[in-house]
Amino acid sequence: MHILVTGVAGFIGFHVAQALLARGETVIGVDNLNDYYDPALKHARLAQLTGQKGFSFQPVELADRDAVDALLVPASGVTHIIHLAAQAGVRYSLQNPHAYISANIVAQINLLEAVRRLPGLVHFVYASSSSVYGHAEKAPFAVTDRTDRPLSLYAATKKADELFHYTYAHLYRIPATGLRFFTVYGPWGRPDMAAFLFTKAILAGEPIRLFNGGDMRRDFTYIDDIVAGVLATLDHPPADTGEAPPHRVYNLGHNHPEKLTDFVAILEEALGRKAVLDLQPMQPGDVYETAADITESRRDLGFSPTTPLSVGLPKFIAWYREFYRV
């Protein structure tokens, strides 16, 4: 396989590229290395990939149509795409909405338009989000549940991506699968996520903000389990029967929501320090609980997450202490 991985210097993209290279695939990594969070972390991830057999890197801005067209030409040999590049973050979408339109809408259309002219594409896997469920009427969330009531612009753009892919699968028979990720954490994680923010604050003796007074539940999913799900998805493109569009959507989550206060307690034990809590009201765009129904991904992909929070969080902390020398 010749696999294009977008967002390759990002958290999930980096780990997915590592796994693909480990099994002998050719990976063309793409990233714009923007400054949404410290670019030094992105460069450090990229340095881990650079020089590995089968890996090459292209610094491409996916919102630039001409750059995408130049990237995805027949001579590139790309047979599979794993599109993980996006502007992430629910709360940041309230501050900088245009960044989400550029990275999550314009970039997606640019890729789809380039891909429909690319011969030999086997599968287009792309990242969606559990945020599309909004104020779900029940938990766990099933892929058949209603997803037309997003609570943030970020969620709205991710739902739009699913609709774009369905349409292009219908019109141009592009085999595509969307993955709704549920609160991914682990080594090399994003600095704007809870594990990173809380660990940094606890070590510094600074307060950590818990929204809704700490009464929230999240389906925290360890990165190795997510990577296994992404690779299994890549290897199982939807069949084109000539009737329904060759497009599917799956949940990738741990299937075991945890209380945010329990999450903090595990961090405290692993770090050997107590957290200073700053209890805040619920924030606009947030949801009380996320919970993945993985019936379809377990059945079709063999997806079976195995890493509990009590194992995954200490692994994150070990990486954090080594990387930041604290």
Side-chain angles (χ1 to χ4, degrees):
M1 299 180 185
H2 281 65
I3 306 164
L4 181 75
V5 178
T6 73
V8 75
F11 173 35
I12 300 176
F14 161 69
H15 283 281
V16 166
Q18 285 275 45
L20 290 169
L21 293 169
R23 76 178 201 180
E25 309 292 2
T26 297
V27 175
I28 303 167
V30 168
D31 207 294
N32 66 1
L33 299 167
N34 67 28
D35 62 357
Y36 168 63
Y37 59 81
D38 186 3
L41 180 56
K42 301 179 182 183
H43 285 283
R45 295 187 190 118
L46 190 58
Q48 297 288 312
L49 299 170
T50 302
Q52 291 195 46
K53 182 181 178 181
F55 180 75
S56 61
F57 176 68
Q58 297 286 338
V60 174
E61 171 53 69
L62 296 176
D64 182 335
R65 180 177 176 181
D66 291 338
V68 173
D69 287 345
L71 176 70
L72 286 170
V73 295
S76 67
V78 171
T79 58
H80 297 70
I81 293 176
I82 303 178
H83 178 43
L84 301 171
Q87 178 57 62
V90 169
R91 297 184 189 104
Y92 185 62
S93 68
L94 301 175
Q95 304 170 32
N96 189 2
H98 291 92
Y100 290 77
I101 301 304
S102 177
N104 299 359
I105 301 294
V106 176
Q108 196 93 2
I109 291 296
N110 287 345
L111 281 169
L112 284 166
E113 276 295 296
V115 161
R116 75 180 181 90
R117 298 187 294 270
L118 187 69
L121 186 76
V122 176
H123 198 186
F124 192 140
V125 178
Y126 65 96
S128 184
S129 169
S130 62
S131 296
V132 301
Y133 291 107
H135 272 317
E137 296 174 351
K138 66 177 181 63
F141 309 157
V143 293
T144 54
D145 288 348
R146 184 175 179 177
T147 55
D148 61 349
R149 297 178 295 183
L151 300 183
S152 68
L153 182 64
Y154 169 68
T157 61
K158 285 300 182 179
K159 180 58 182 178
D161 289 343
E162 293 183 5
L163 296 173
F164 294 151
H165 271 278
Y166 180 91
T167 301
Y168 274 71
H170 166 70
L171 292 173
Y172 308 112
R173 317 311 293 182
I174 298 171
T177 304
L179 298 175
R180 294 172 179 169
F181 296 132
F182 281 71
T183 318
V184 188
Y185 74 98
W188 297 95
R190 283 193 357 235
D192 63 331
M193 297 293 283
F196 207 111
L197 289 169
F198 292 179
T199 296
K200 181 179 180 181
I202 292 171
L203 287 173
E206 299 172 349
I208 60 175
R209 292 189 298 170
L210 299 186
F211 296 105
N212 202 39
D215 182 20
M216 299 180 76
R217 294 168 61 89
R218 289 290 180 268
D219 202 346
F220 294 102
T221 315
Y222 190 63
I223 184 62
D224 289 359
D225 292 327
I226 288 292
V227 170
V230 173
L231 267 60
T233 303
L234 184 73
D235 295 338
H236 291 84
D240 188 354
T241 63
E243 297 177 358
H247 175 264
R248 296 176 304 190
V249 174
Y250 291 112
N251 286 335
L252 293 188
H254 188 61
N255 191 224
H256 185 74
E258 301 275 1
K259 295 179 181 178
L260 190 57
T261 49
D262 291 343
F263 180 91
V264 173
I266 294 171
L267 281 177
E268 289 176 324
E269 182 176 356
L271 290 167
R273 301 190 186 189
K274 294 295 290 182
V276 179
L277 304 183
D278 176 13
L279 303 181
Q280 295 281 328
M282 182 72 91
Q283 294 292 288
D286 267 354
V287 297
Y288 167 70
E289 179 179 27
T290 63
D293 180 337
I294 59 172
T295 300
E296 289 83 1
S297 50
R298 191 189 300 274
R299 179 195 66 210
D300 297 347
L301 309 173
F303 178 65
S304 183
T306 60
T307 311
L309 206 56
S310 58
V311 172
L313 271 182
K315 288 184 177 182
F316 166 77
I317 290 168
W319 166 82
Y320 185 96
R321 284 188 176 279
E322 179 180 0
F323 187 78
Y324 289 102
R325 302 182 185 278
V326 292

